[in-house]
Amino acid sequence: MKPGLFHERQALRPDAPGADVNRKGGDSCVKRLDVVVVGAGFGGLYAAYRFREMGLRIQGFEAGGDVGGVWYWNRYPGARVDLPSIDYSYSFSPEIEQEWTWSEQFAAQPELLAYFNFVATRLDLRKHFQFNTRVTSAVWDEARALWTVRTDRGELLEATYCVMATGPLSIPKDPDIPGLDRYEGRLLRAAKWPHEPVSFAGKRVGVIGTGSTGIQIVQEVGKQAGELYVFQRTPSFTMPMRNAPLESDYLAEVKRNYPAMREIARSSAVGGLRPQSTRAFFSVTPAQRQQLLEDAWKNGGLAMLGTFADLMSNEEANEHVAEFVRSKIDEVVKDPVTAERLKPRGYPIFARRPCLDSSYYETYNQPNVHLVDLFADPIVEITEKGVRTQSGEVELDMLILATGYDGLTGALLAFDVVGRDGRTVNDHWKQGARSYLGLMMDGFPNLFMTTGPNGPAALANIVRISEHDVDLIAGVITHMDKQGLATIEPTPEAEKEWMDLVYTLSQRTLLTKAKTWYVGANVKDKPQGLTLFTGGFHKYRELCAAAVKDGYRGFAFQRKKQAVAV
Ligand code: NA7
């Protein structure tokens, strides 16, 4: 690895950002850094690596006990990524690409966590993080142009830059159902799963939630539980994953071709290798359409999304595809009443994150698995013994919550982030999350987000977005150092223009037509609206690159002052 860009020069400068200083007063010792990184998932780990290679003094904080982000927490049975493993991995290190070998097309959580551990160990990244630590506040110090950061362990740090690599899905959400704290059986949360194995054998188990997480849990726990009760409110569309082991010949070819494959991924709308179509749904005959959908169903994964170009813009085309999936439910599920209840209706397919399964619908043919349709029979309360719906109480030994996340904005709103003039992110986002390029907010100098709201997060490969965002931030920091600049932030006009673009593009897609975490519909009192850039990852990259090339268009800088008081 190359020595860092700033390393030698700054190491000689005692007043350089990054030098430890002792300050007199209330806080006896304040650690002075260049960058505080929050989160040790894909974004945070890469940020630590990249900034260290630049010679920056960094400190990372992570609430979990180790690296991995969502894959550290989500240890529930059946947890698995829904993108091909070879796509869902870092591209920044050819060494890692060559040394790591994926075993399955869609890796399960233990393998994903092993990957994180491998990367962290191989690049010696753990030393930059303090684990089991939550940042509780980050406050901008206008006079000294730096962030003061506090943690729940009582630390106080000062840093020129803050990078919030907090991820779009890191604040799990309990259901708003009365009585949850009364339940005396074993309560399990998908997003905070125990580290030791959980046995369901002979147990009466309930699962609330049938998004990606609930579906993965149901098909796995259904095999083991004595009785499984699935409490379903909105049914999801799910398609066959068709997971398979990766053959060594194929892997060897992948390893030979990684650079080209990554370039294709970076140039695509989804930041991945999934083929996309330019064909409009009604441009081919009904028989051809049917054949294309059948082929995609057989191929598995998200192939269905790549069958036609207009599935997310043409409601009629979308409904045809939805009906195709409903017909598949009829083919698999033997009981017609259950089949009917499992069929999603009233929102476009793919407007909620499409789920991938291996035996979800088949699970309902098992005599021990019971679907509770909460539209017909809503939950009234959780009792000491189980779940009471309108029709009666279901007694349960274990209750699993797979009820989703306060997505995109939850993590940054969970602690106090205070920018210029005492303005908080809560204030700034009162009417909905705002940002410029999904990366920065007006009034919050030197504070960056990776995979932030109003970027393409959730709609494209999160690893590609994370790498892109960290590289861009690294470029900004290098530029500022060279130019002697102290602060960067977006102008209000640039932020407004970006938000107008995000809104205009969102009106062209059907993504706004379902009640999902994408639009904030799953969190009470959350401002509603699609805070995602729907123009595609390739366009997002182009727009970011153009802004940088154009002299950091849309950003305002301030020069370093002569003397900085300590
Ligand atoms: P999701 O997709 O947000 O799913 C959460 C599920 O929990 C969904 O079925 C909800 O039904 C259900 N839910 C939430 N609150 C309740 C209450 N009060 N009663 C009954 N059911 C409830 O989260 P996931 O964790 O599955 O997936 C998140 C992302 O991870 C996914 O998009 C992929 O990117 C991977 P509702 O829809 O609100 O009727």
Side-chain angles (χ1 to χ4, degrees), residues 82 169 173 175-177 208-214 233-234 352-353 374 379 402-405 515 517 522:
D82 62 4
L169 292 170
K173 205 186 105 324
D176 310 317
I177 304 173
I208 303 181
T210 50
S212 301
T213 304
R233 197 161 59 185
T234 311
R352 289 159 75 91
R353 172 94 174 181
L374 300 181
I379 296 178
T403 41
Y405 296 82
K515 291 183 181 161
W517 63 269
N522 66 331

Side-chain angles (χ1 to χ4, degrees), residues 463-483:
V463 195
R464 294 290 76 75
I465 307 171
S466 300
E467 288 182 331
H468 167 271
D469 291 356
V470 170
D471 286 341
L472 198 146
I473 297 163
V476 171
I477 295 176
T478 306
H479 171 77
M480 288 175 65
D481 186 71
K482 274 195 198 143
Q483 303 293 322

Side-chain angles (χ1 to χ4, degrees), residues 333-342 371:
V333 180
K334 292 193 181 125
D335 172 34
V337 176
T338 306
E340 209 46 44
R341 288 180 172 163
L342 284 166
L371 182 68

Side-chain angles (χ1 to χ4, degrees), residues 128-278:
H128 302 301
F129 285 91
Q130 186 172 308
F131 296 99
N132 298 306
T133 307
R134 278 188 186 278
V135 169
T136 51
S137 72
V139 180
W140 177 247
D141 182 332
E142 181 74 42
R144 297 190 303 136
L146 50 77
W147 285 93
T148 55
V149 176
R150 285 176 198 272
T151 74
D152 62 357
R153 293 181 159 218
E155 286 108 336
L156 172 66
L157 302 94
E158 295 174 349
T160 311
Y161 303 100
C162 265
V163 174
M164 302 299 185
T166 40
L169 292 170
S170 43
I171 302 293
K173 205 186 105 324
D174 275 355
D176 310 317
I177 304 173
L180 194 58
D181 49 353
R182 261 192 344 212
Y183 179 59
E184 287 172 359
R186 184 159 188 202
L187 188 67
L188 293 155
R189 291 177 170 84
K192 231 179 174 182
W193 199 263
H195 288 209
E196 62 282 358
V198 179
S199 169
F200 302 97
K203 298 278 196 299
R204 297 166 302 175
V205 184
V207 177
I208 303 181
T210 50
S212 301
T213 304
I215 282 174
Q216 291 189 333
I217 290 172
V218 165
Q219 64 186 10
E220 215 44 49
V221 175
K223 291 178 198 156
Q224 305 168 35
E227 301 293 326
L228 177 65
Y229 294 86
V230 183
F231 296 93
Q232 169 195 274
R233 197 161 59 185
T234 311
S236 296
F237 288 96
T238 171
M239 299 165 299
M241 178 176 263
R242 311 238 187 261
N243 194 19
L246 293 171
E247 305 292 335
S248 55
D249 287 358
Y250 173 74
L251 282 165
E253 198 173 332
V254 165
K255 287 191 181 189
R256 276 196 300 276
N257 289 297
Y258 258 133
M261 287 164 62
R262 301 303 194 193
E263 207 34 57
I264 292 169
R266 277 191 281 268
S267 312
S268 83
V270 293
L273 298 170
R274 172 155 49 88
Q276 296 206 277
S277 176
T278 49

Side-chain angles (χ1 to χ4, degrees), residues 434-454:
R434 300 178 62 76
S435 70
Y436 178 45
L437 302 171
L439 279 166
M440 294 196 84
M441 294 168 287
D442 160 37
F444 296 83
N446 296 7
L447 183 127
F448 300 94
M449 300 174 285
T450 64
T451 68
N454 308 306

